[in-house]
Amino acid sequence: MEETISLQDLFKTLRKRMALITILTVLAITVSGVISYVFITPIYQASTQILISQEKVDSTVLNPQAIQTDLQLINTYNVIIKSSAILDKVAEELDLPSAGALNGQITVNSEQNSQVVNITVQDQSPTLAVDIANTVASVFQEDIKPLMNVDNVNILAAAQLPDNPSPVNPNPPLNMAIAAVVGLMLGVGIAFLLEYLDTSIKTEQDVEDSLGLPILGLVSPIPDSEMITNEQTMVQRRKRG
């Protein structure tokens, strides 16, 4: 026999298991908040922009071919920025343990259809992130001259340390919001699973649903006080008899 579940049955199940759903949702939010605020080390980010311009020429006429050449060189510059030739000097200037770790902290990308290159650094210290970004830009600006025999790199915007730096990772509000959704979904899933596994008969409706027969009559429960009174009455009658 095909079974159908009405919308009323769904709301009935949710209402019945509301405590479980609420507990799991609150627990997920709490765990996410504790992990985000206590156990995950905050990471700060700083960015420096450099401009790849055309080489200086005597002509005052704009040379489109030179601009196209500069755009083609940007990919090469992106590789050079993260090379050991640059990062070794950065690590030496900032007295950092190794240049290998810097490679994983630095992200280099260029703005679409432009000659602007962004150098982004992430570090546990906001001050060090700013220092690394600015040092990478300055070292690259100086070392690109002998490496490529060009002088077309200028620092467009240096990284600045804000008064109240905020980490980019983790994002506790976002993590807690995601945890709330996950906890809610988990609670609803468990609620319907428990309802599906619960085959006990507790109400008249359960009897009708299980047997497919109507209820003809009910035996009301006898209160404990009335049962005690009846037992005392029977005992007194036995004594008299």
Side-chain angles (χ1 to χ4, degrees), residues 128-203:
L128 184 57
V130 171
D131 292 340
I132 293 175
N134 290 333
T135 304
V136 169
S138 61
V139 170
F140 174 72
Q141 184 184 27
E142 292 298 324
D143 286 17
I144 197 63
K145 298 175 183 178
L147 286 175
M148 300 287 294
N149 195 25
V150 292
D151 186 13
N152 62 342
V153 176
N154 297 284
I155 298 177
L156 185 63
Q160 301 291 334
L161 180 65
D163 295 333
N164 296 312
S166 57
V168 295
N169 186 43
N171 188 343
L174 178 60
N175 293 344
M176 294 171 69
I178 295 175
V181 175
V182 174
L184 182 62
M185 295 175 60
L186 182 63
V188 172
I190 293 178
F192 283 110
L193 178 62
L194 293 177
E195 191 68 19
Y196 175 77
L197 297 177
D198 186 6
T199 58
S200 60
I201 298 176
K202 300 176 182 179
T203 64

Side-chain angles (χ1 to χ4, degrees), residues 68-160:
Q68 182 64 29
T69 301
D70 289 333
L71 291 174
Q72 293 174 353
L73 284 175
I74 288 179
N75 290 332
T76 303
Y77 288 167
N78 291 349
V79 176
I80 295 175
I81 290 174
K82 297 188 66 175
S83 66
S84 58
I86 302 297
L87 298 186
D88 285 341
K89 292 186 177 181
V90 173
E92 183 180 355
E93 287 191 20
L94 298 177
D95 195 21
L96 298 177
S98 66
L102 286 177
N103 196 292
Q105 296 178 252
I106 299 173
T107 302
V108 181
N109 57 72
S110 56
E111 296 291 341
Q112 186 176 10
N113 299 324
S114 73
Q115 299 169 259
V116 177
V117 175
N118 297 317
I119 302 175
T120 304
V121 179
Q122 293 186 349
D123 194 83
Q124 299 179 7
S125 169
T127 303
L128 184 57
V130 171
D131 292 340
I132 293 175
N134 290 333
T135 304
V136 169
S138 61
V139 170
F140 174 72
Q141 184 184 27
E142 292 298 324
D143 286 17
I144 197 63
K145 298 175 183 178
L147 286 175
M148 300 287 294
N149 195 25
V150 292
D151 186 13
N152 62 342
V153 176
N154 297 284
I155 298 177
L156 185 63
Q160 301 291 334

